[in-house]
Amino acid sequence: MDEQEEKKQRTRQSSSTLTTRQSSSTLKTRQSSHGNHKSQSNSIPFDITFEILSRLPAKSIVRYRSVSKLWSFITTTPEFIKTRSKKTSPPCVLLIFRKHDKLIVFSSPQHKNTYSYVEDYHIEIPKNGFIRRLDSVHGLICFEGSKQLVIWNPTMKRFFTLPEPQGNGDEYYVGGFLGYEPVEGKYKALCIVRGWNTQVLTLGVQESWRVVTKGGFFHWPTKDTGRCINGVIYYKAFDMAPRHAIISFDLRYEEFKLIDFPMRDYDRFLMVSYEGRLALISDTSSVVEIWSLEDAGNKKWSYGQFHLSLPPNKYLKWLDLRGVTDGGELIYTGVSLNGSFCVVYFDPKKSSIRETKFRGITGNEIWQPDRLGFDLVNDFYVLPNHIESFISF
């Protein structure tokens, strides 16, 4: 080996040693700031701890946050949340029954065709149990109350109540929605106050409500609608005319747009995400109609119609349309609580049907006699495409 080659090799070795020392120094510094320096610096390296924790099931991650300050710190960093989201479990469907001030929540994998035992847990509804609407948004559940929004993270089993929007004596709360902006990875809440006042709150940055100034106009949201799709919140409303319309709110640019309502029936439809776009779906005894927003910029809708062909032993009149999976399957549930509870998935393009029966629901204490005669079936929600979230506010 000549002299020049030896110099190059010594330079590479020196650089490698320096990099290793710098990396080790950085890890020890981060560790020592979240626990005893001596004990942490001699334990498992930070990056290995990070990788191990990111591979654990959601339940274990939540439980281990109380083990040490370091582990709690690691699992709440944006880097960990982003890494863990890539390893998250497949989407599940949440079946939520309400009984007085409690919610009984059942969860099951969305793409299972076999009998499934569901995991269930009971939670108390904050703010006296009043719910106008609830929705699943990128792993978080948004409860809309009479004056404000309550956010629930089922993975972390934590609630977070948003502050009431600002307003004067002549203005009052009309409606609110939660959305997720995927480019910057931010959750934002939208609130409509009576009048021209619309406000936005970004979750997790300790800021107050801000008044939206771009494209705002007077409108009145209708209940039981609202969907966030690809960073845009859509909901049905009345404008000044008054007329029925779809309102879109771009979360990144915080700008409103008004879209003409395409259907003749203003009430009997579901607002869903279908094939990555906003869609309005209605069904009859044998036909499913789908209006899909093909071009949001030009406000162009497309129309499709599908015929239902259920097996001979199934009766559509006993099933209610409840939602759509991320794979384009329509979700139907039974209206009877006798025997096992079933969810039927219908793929309109393949004309195929699959059924999942759930054990553990009809035998739950929720079905015990209720002296007030509370109707559990009518106060029932289906939230498909729900994913894990490790966000903490």
Side-chain angles (χ1 to χ4, degrees):
M1 182 181 298
D2 57 25
E3 183 177 354
Q4 185 176 3
E5 186 63 29
E6 289 180 357
K7 289 182 178 180
K8 290 182 179 180
Q9 184 173 354
R10 286 196 298 270
T11 301
R12 286 194 295 266
Q13 291 174 346
S14 176
S15 175
S16 176
T17 302
L18 178 61
T19 300
T20 302
R21 289 176 179 173
Q22 290 175 338
S23 176
S24 177
S25 176
T26 300
L27 291 176
K28 290 181 180 180
T29 300
R30 297 179 71 179
Q31 291 172 342
S32 63
S33 64
H34 297 276
N36 183 274
H37 175 76
K38 292 182 179 180
S39 61
Q40 295 294 347
S41 61
N42 294 325
S43 61
I44 301 174
F46 185 91
D47 54 343
I48 296 179
T49 303
F50 183 102
E51 181 62 26
I52 292 174
L53 291 172
S54 69
R55 293 173 179 266
L56 293 176
K59 288 184 178 180
S60 299
I61 293 175
V62 175
R63 185 167 61 251
Y64 292 164
R65 281 187 174 184
S66 60
V67 171
S68 72
K69 293 182 179 180
L70 175 63
W71 289 11
S72 178
F73 163 73
I74 292 175
T75 56
T76 54
T77 60
E79 294 82 1
F80 180 88
I81 294 172
K82 183 177 181 180
T83 300
R84 186 58 177 80
S85 65
K86 298 177 182 179
K87 304 176 182 179
T88 188
S89 303
C92 68
V93 56
L94 297 182
L95 309 178
I96 302 179
F97 296 87
R98 179 184 175 190
K99 187 173 185 179
H100 305 306
D101 62 344
K102 289 184 175 58
L103 294 178
I104 293 83
V105 184
F106 300 91
S107 172
S108 184
Q110 191 162 271
H111 300 293
K112 272 194 173 183
N113 295 332
T114 58
Y115 279 78
S116 175
Y117 177 80
V118 296
E119 174 191 5
D120 67 283
Y121 44 96
H122 298 196
I123 60 173
E124 291 190 7
I125 308 171
K127 297 296 180 182
N128 301 320
F130 179 77
I131 298 178
R132 294 175 61 177
R133 185 181 59 86
L134 61 83
D135 189 22
S136 174
V137 180
H138 200 71
L140 301 182
I141 306 298
C142 177
F143 296 88
E144 183 185 10
S146 58
K147 293 183 179 180
Q148 60 193 142
L149 302 178
V150 176
I151 310 301
W152 174 44
N153 187 333
T155 305
M156 306 302 299
K157 295 182 172 56
R158 292 182 180 176
F159 283 94
F160 177 71
T161 301
L162 300 184
E164 292 187 18
Q166 302 171 359
N168 57 44
D170 297 329
E171 299 176 334
Y172 57 85
Y173 178 89
V174 175
F177 307 90
L178 177 68
Y180 177 75
E181 201 286 290
V183 177
E184 298 180 353
K186 293 180 179 180
Y187 291 88
K188 292 184 178 182
L190 172 67
C191 176
I192 296 90
V193 181
R194 185 172 182 257
W196 299 86
N197 191 340
T198 52
Q199 303 175 24
V200 172
L201 177 71
T202 302
L203 277 63
V205 297
Q206 297 182 343
E207 70 170 28
S208 58
W209 289 95
R210 296 175 286 105
V211 176
V212 179
T213 58
K214 294 183 180 179
F217 46 85
F218 184 92
H219 64 279
W220 194 284
T222 59
K223 67 176 184 177
D224 298 332
T225 66
R227 191 71 61 208
C228 182
I229 304 171
N230 298 327
V232 179
I233 294 177
Y234 298 94
Y235 55 94
K236 180 174 173 288
F238 295 105
D239 63 5
M240 287 287 289
R243 60 177 175 174
H244 296 271
I246 298 294
I247 307 297
S248 72
F249 180 73
D250 190 301
L251 289 166
R252 187 178 184 189
Y253 300 105
E254 298 187 356
E255 184 174 8
F256 284 99
K257 288 184 180 179
L258 187 145
I259 303 171
D260 291 336
F261 194 81
M263 304 173 63
R264 293 182 179 179
D265 192 333
Y266 300 122
D267 299 315
R268 292 180 296 179
F269 69 91
L270 280 181
M271 180 178 288
V272 300
S273 173
Y274 183 72
E275 298 182 334
R277 294 186 291 267
L278 172 69
L280 309 179
I281 300 181
S282 66
D283 70 323
T284 61
S285 59
S286 60
V287 177
V288 175
E289 297 180 310
I290 302 178
W291 290 89
S292 180
L293 187 61
E294 293 288 342
D295 188 342
N298 294 319
K299 306 174 183 178
K300 180 181 178 182
W301 296 87
S302 65
Y303 173 77
Q305 188 180 90
F306 303 95
H307 291 275
L308 286 171
S309 54
L310 293 177
N313 62 333
K314 300 289 188 291
Y315 300 92
L316 187 59
K317 64 181 180 180
W318 290 356
L319 300 173
D320 282 344
L321 178 62
R322 293 288 188 170
V324 180
T325 69
D326 52 7
E329 294 177 300
L330 308 185
I331 302 175
Y332 291 86
T333 62
V335 297
S336 172
L337 299 178
N338 296 324
S340 60
F341 190 85
C342 70
V343 175
V344 177
Y345 299 88
F346 170 66
D347 190 325
K349 291 191 174 182
K350 298 179 181 179
S351 294
S352 62
I353 288 178
R354 62 187 181 91
E355 179 181 338
T356 300
K357 291 185 178 180
F358 296 96
R359 297 172 178 171
I361 291 184
T362 55
N364 195 280
E365 66 179 49
I366 186 177
W367 314 125
Q368 298 302 316
D370 188 344
R371 62 182 180 181
L372 297 179
F374 206 80
D375 191 345
L376 295 170
V377 180
N378 291 336
D379 223 4
F380 165 55
Y381 309 88
V382 177
L383 302 181
N385 313 312
H386 182 76
I387 61 174
E388 296 173 343
S389 173
F390 297 90
I391 291 290
S392 295
F393 300 110

